[in-house]
Amino acid sequence: MTIATSTELICFLILSSVIVSGALGVVLIDNIVYSAFLLGGVFMSVAGLYLLLNASFVAAAQILVYVGAVNVLILFAIMLVNKQEELKPIKGLKIRRFFSGCVCAGLLALLFRVDITTNWATPGPKAIGEIATERIGEHLFTDYLLPFELASVLLLMAMIGAIVLARRDVISIELESTDSIPQNIINNSTDNVLLDQSSD
Amino acid sequence: MFTTLKIVLIAVVNPGLDLERSFNHLLQGMGLPSSIAHLLWLPLPMLLVLTAALIGVLVTVWLERKISAAAQQRVGPEYAGALGILQPMADGLKLLVKEDIIPHKADSLLFTLGPILVLIPVILSWLIVPFGQNLLISNVGIGIFLWIALSSIQPIGLLMSGYASNNKYSLLGGLRAAAQSISYEIPLALAVLAVVMMSNSLSTVDIVNQQNTTGLFSWNIFRQPVGFLIFWICALAECERLPFDLPEAEEELVAGYQTEYAGMKFALFYLGSYINLILSSLLVSILYLGGWGFPIPIDLITNSLGQSPNAPVIQILAATIGIIMTVFKTYFLVFLAILLRWTTPRVRIDQLLDLGWKFLLPIALVNLLFTAALKLAFPIAFGG
Amino acid sequence: MGTFFQKAADYTKDAISAGKYLLQGLAVTFDHMRRRPITVQYPYEKLIPSERYRGRIHYEFDKCIACEVCVRVCPINLPVVDWVMNKETKKKELRNYSIDFGVCIFCGNCVEYCPTNCLSMTEEYELAAFDRHNLNFDNVALGRLPTNVTTDPSVIALKELAYLPKGVMDPHELDKNSPRAGKLPSEVSVKTIENNKASVGEKT
Ligand code: SF4
Ligand code: SF4
């Protein structure tokens, strides 16, 4: 085993253990902020895996999109909506947990089966390294043009939806109609401002 | 096939100074196998660049203090070394020996992790900064894209430290920093994209080479003036320099996400922000001001003097001039940033987002379209 | 469509002028960098505050009608107007008046709005005290006039930058009668008066 392959193996082991434990942490930890940060760690480790596979462009895109945009937005949302709320204990939590655990285990078994039965061609196609960027661009504008455009339309729809939700013209009308209440309070409190102080 | 041909061509036409090859030759001459020589070589450029970055920070801190003092008709640091040159060193030492306080109610794990997460991506980005044809750590293919990707990690660290400090000012500062860096990353990337479109490559070395065909007039600033402005504004915003220093606005947020930090952890933030400033200036000079290029092409000078550009002395001379040019351009931009700091008042958060989304983003898109059109129309001038 | 292009043109014009002003600002900052620091040896030398200097507030007890306008216009309702209602005369009787200069921001709103002009701003800025309660000035303390810098024999009075001749930065060793840059208000007004006279003469 040469130095290169052994470092690659070590890196792979470290990255995959970080991904697995991090993903478990995202699901199992109670503190939602910790979960979000762990998610960022998982995304970064996935980018590391891409790097190991010699796909540096995909790795950078992964960091840019998932860590830089998605995860930051998740964190943003969590921190802005920082409402303290007493959560009621859900009835039959244990049974629910058991069932969801079963579903997850089933999915895992399915994945394992796919993993074992598929005939993975080793070694796979040769990594193209530097020219990967050009190749990805070519593919995006030829055979994957339709999914690419559909994805952009989807994103546009999401953006318009967000803008519509954020405008909320309704709320300002409600606010205007409640003007009379503070007026009353002021009127009541200003009844005897000019106190007669000559008696003392 | 084509790219390899291009690389070979560049190597033949302009091999420049290749320190790695010389180093390997030297060690192999001493009887070491080439793999060991390569391993020994690997940490050297990293250490060198790290030292360069640190010295750059010291110089920048000193410059910032002196220039600020001059702009305000003060004297500035004076007693530590001649003209106060050692003042940044003294500052650093002070921060090093200061007590490292973690507030009682803070989340100590995230509190410690935050500054580290802010600093590491900035330092990693120095991977792609070239000081000469072969004077960079690694000429990775994704080049400038790596920097954009890495700089997007930073807001996570800022949010982390803002949240972990358990302080309203810190949290607000962290949120502002994240919002700011998300919104300015997009016009930044679009401005870079226009440059990349002209040089047909993401690699910083190719970008500089493409600008240095005819010296001064082939610099990108003349072909991309709008892109240059967009990039510079966005870079200032990403560095949280003064017109955009909302995340740490003293009057409103004490010190933003740094409020609870002291000692070495604060020093990490401080270091991070200054390294980031230098890095941004370096990248502006690489993307728009011709990087290591001298205003008159070196080849032209050597040819007119009747020298071969491949002679060792000429190569070393050219490399030195290249480094000096890069550093000179960078510090000119740092100077501009400091001047801007004392000229422009801080924008409000709504003005900041307005400028980013309603002004820079459309202009960057138009710039990109325009560049594409020009590239199709005049392939000679705009990189066919 | 026309309005759209009009808007776009206006927007571009605005953007360009904003850039121009930014460059002007940069030029000013750059110009400041060649100026050298000038030290005023403070307790022995003092700058003469400008005419509209907003220093400690002066107050005349006898003029005050206890209307409390100053309290209402103050951003922090600072002045304390202590009065009682005299039942016989049906008039307010002022007993005390005080302003706490530890809290005052010297905005001058009270001075601006006082209907009887009993408040005014002085040139005094040396308000340091050992106890912050000493900063709470009552009507007697408010009624004192500060010592003028120009009349104080122990102090060398120096002119401020705006009062120096054109191009001069250093107020030391300056001829006492050297004129300030630009025209004095009197010079300007004489000219305008003459102009007015001329225009009036033409009419009649
Ligand atoms: S506004 Fe003037 S007159 Fe009225 S209470 Fe104040 S100081 Fe007295
Ligand atoms: S100067 Fe301004 S702050 Fe001070 S007492 Fe008058 S109104 Fe209030």
Side-chain angles (χ1 to χ4, degrees), chain B residues 67 70-71 73 75 335 343-344 359, chain C residues 11 22 25-26 29 32 35 37:
Chain B
I67 295 173
Q73 288 149 60
V75 179
F335 173 73
T343 306
T344 49
F359 184 73
Chain C
Y11 193 70
L22 206 61
L26 278 179
T29 321
H32 271 245
R35 296 188 185 173

Side-chain angles (χ1 to χ4, degrees), chain C residues 59 63-70 81 97 113-116 118-119:
Chain C
Y59 168 76
K63 275 196 197 169
C64 181
I65 53 169
C67 65
E68 289 198 351
V69 163
C70 52
V81 190
Y97 185 92
Y113 282 94
C114 175
T116 59
C118 62
L119 293 171

Side-chain angles (χ1 to χ4, degrees), chain C residues 57 74-76 78-79 99 104-110 121:
Chain C
I57 291 163
C74 176
I76 39 183
L78 184 58
I99 294 178
C104 177
I105 57 168
F106 301 98
C107 62
N109 275 355
C110 49
M121 299 220 114

